[in-house]
Amino acid sequence: MNVHYLCMLSIEDAKNQEDLFQIKSAIMSKKLEDIGGRKGVMEILSLSLDAYKNKDYEKSLKILEPLMQVLKEHPFVTSDDVRYVAISDEMEWVLYQHFCQNPSQQVKNVSVVCPMDWIYRQYALAALDLGDYSTALKGVTEAVQWNPTSAKCRILYAMLCSAEGHWENLLKEIVSAMKYTYRSSDMIHCFRFLKDYFIYKKMYDVAVYCSFLRSRFSSSENVMLEIVGDMVMLLKRTNFDYSSINDDDMIAACKKYGFMPNFNPEVIAVAQDSYEDAFLAKDTGRAAYFAQIMEDLKTEQEKRDAVNLRQLFESHRNPVS
């Protein structure tokens, strides 16, 4: 069925949830026509991001206004029978299906029509840097509701909590983010915010652990220098002996305060299963996508070990004569 035909139908014409979804999708697509459809949405998001990178946060928000107007009248209203989500990253969609499915409720992902999670996240980010915390809160709340398995949305929520000094809410959002995180860059952010939280609580030993754990996910010189600076500052505030840091104590601290020292094993298993399914189905693009995610689901030491193992393998396969 084409969009124009579906738009001629009313919600009452739907015979089942799939019909209803198709009709609502056609209605939303029609609303987006004036800005170029989904392609136009992505172009607007790109322009807004460019302005944000240039630190023109007011311009970044203004560019998004046409999208925000469209979203005010979207037709995707969740009910007891169906939940609408907007999960634009494939890994996050797989994680949602793993963690959040409700057997009594159908789930429809509207991202193929409009990436609402990306729109609200970008809007909240620009508002946060502009200092408009009220607008940022509205944006990030919508982003998390549309995409509950986005670590980036939850980290953004934690950024807002940090800016406003809502430390317990910050901890809650970071713990939630770590449940779904599959990027090293996001783990680095998580441990940085955890470090800040424990500094606020004057629990400097645990803050040192967080800085140390953060270092396991980055090979960036700038990040490492920042971590070293943090640890030097922290060790001046406590009698803690840096040389006594060990995995057992760090794992115990993580368990005590409810966060993970590494990627969630369930996330790793989901990525592995998704890769194998794509590989067996000979879907090379999808297999490559999940292979890259599996590569990022490693600490820097694990990545170095993998490189060393490959080099060792190559040296044995191709011995120097």
Side-chain angles (χ1 to χ4, degrees):
M1 296 183 184
N2 62 49
V3 170
H4 296 291
Y5 172 74
L6 287 168
C7 284
M8 293 171 64
L9 301 176
S10 69
I11 299 298
E12 289 72 23
D13 292 319
K15 297 174 182 171
N16 51 51
Q17 292 297 343
E18 182 57 31
D19 283 354
L20 186 61
F21 177 56
Q22 293 299 329
I23 292 170
K24 289 186 174 184
S25 295
I27 292 170
M28 190 66 185
S29 295
K30 188 70 175 175
K31 290 179 180 293
L32 292 172
E33 281 185 358
D34 289 342
I35 54 176
R38 195 183 191 282
K39 182 180 178 181
V41 171
M42 298 307 295
E43 289 172 353
I44 290 171
L45 280 171
S46 179
L47 290 172
S48 175
L49 184 59
D50 287 343
Y52 177 84
K53 288 178 178 177
N54 289 325
K55 301 187 185 303
D56 193 340
Y57 308 127
E58 193 166 348
K59 181 179 179 181
S60 181
L61 281 178
K62 189 173 182 180
I63 290 170
L64 292 172
E65 278 302 328
L67 298 182
M68 303 307 293
Q69 291 300 317
V70 172
L71 293 189
K72 285 180 179 179
E73 301 175 354
H74 74 79
F76 300 112
V77 180
T78 290
S79 68
D80 291 339
D81 297 319
V82 59
R83 178 173 184 181
Y84 293 104
V85 297
I87 302 176
S88 302
D89 285 289
E90 187 169 5
M91 180 62 181
E92 290 166 7
W93 174 232
V94 174
L95 290 173
Y96 182 88
Q97 292 171 304
H98 176 78
F99 285 109
C100 305
Q101 285 282 37
N102 180 349
S104 65
Q105 190 181 46
Q106 291 190 41
V107 177
K108 298 295 183 182
N109 190 354
V110 309
S111 176
V112 67
V113 182
C114 183
M116 298 188 190
D117 54 337
W118 286 351
I119 296 170
Y120 280 116
R121 189 178 77 196
Q122 178 61 29
Y123 196 75
L125 183 62
L128 175 60
D129 278 293
L130 198 59
D132 186 348
Y133 296 157
S134 175
T135 297
L137 177 61
K138 291 176 184 176
V140 76
T141 300
E142 288 283 353
V144 170
Q145 287 178 345
W146 283 106
N147 187 349
T149 49
S150 169
K152 287 190 178 299
C153 289
R154 293 185 181 276
I155 290 168
L156 177 56
Y157 208 147
M159 289 173 64
L160 176 60
C161 293
S162 175
E164 295 191 298
H166 298 159
W167 293 102
E168 298 307 322
N169 288 341
L170 178 150
L171 179 63
K172 176 186 172 184
E173 291 304 325
I174 289 299
V175 170
S176 295
M178 294 178 91
K179 179 178 179 179
Y180 307 117
T181 298
Y182 58 93
R183 295 183 179 94
S184 293
S185 57
D186 289 338
M187 287 294 277
I188 291 168
H189 286 305
C190 286
F191 280 114
R192 179 167 65 84
F193 281 117
L194 285 171
K195 178 259 303 179
D196 292 344
Y197 170 82
F198 287 110
I199 289 175
Y200 166 75
K201 301 290 282 187
K202 293 183 169 57
M203 300 169 66
Y204 302 122
D205 293 2
V206 185
V208 170
Y209 289 151
C210 291
S211 289
F212 193 84
L213 288 166
R214 185 183 174 207
S215 71
R216 294 186 171 182
F217 297 92
S218 178
S219 59
S220 163
E221 183 177 354
N222 288 338
V223 172
M224 297 304 288
L225 286 173
E226 180 185 333
I227 291 169
V228 169
D230 286 342
M231 293 182 75
V232 169
M233 176 270 293
L234 287 166
L235 291 170
K236 289 179 180 178
R237 299 188 182 188
T238 178
N239 294 323
F240 188 74
D241 180 8
Y242 170 78
S243 63
S244 71
I245 293 177
N246 62 78
D247 282 356
D248 289 342
D249 288 345
M250 287 192 291
I251 291 170
C254 292
K255 185 176 181 179
K256 180 177 180 180
Y257 298 106
F259 60 94
M260 300 179 188
N262 207 333
F263 290 108
N264 184 349
E266 283 190 73
V267 171
I268 296 172
V270 167
Q272 177 73 38
D273 290 345
S274 299
Y275 167 76
E276 290 175 359
D277 289 345
F279 181 80
L280 291 173
K282 297 183 179 179
D283 187 339
T284 54
R286 200 162 183 266
Y289 170 82
F290 284 109
Q292 182 56 54
I293 285 173
M294 288 169 59
E295 179 64 20
D296 207 27
L297 283 166
K298 296 175 181 176
T299 65
E300 286 301 313
Q301 184 59 52
E302 288 170 330
K303 291 175 184 177
R304 287 192 292 270
D305 290 345
V307 170
N308 291 338
L309 184 60
R310 285 195 295 269
Q311 291 173 342
L312 183 62
F313 172 74
E314 290 295 328
S315 67
H316 279 272
R317 192 175 67 169
N318 302 305
V320 178
S321 56

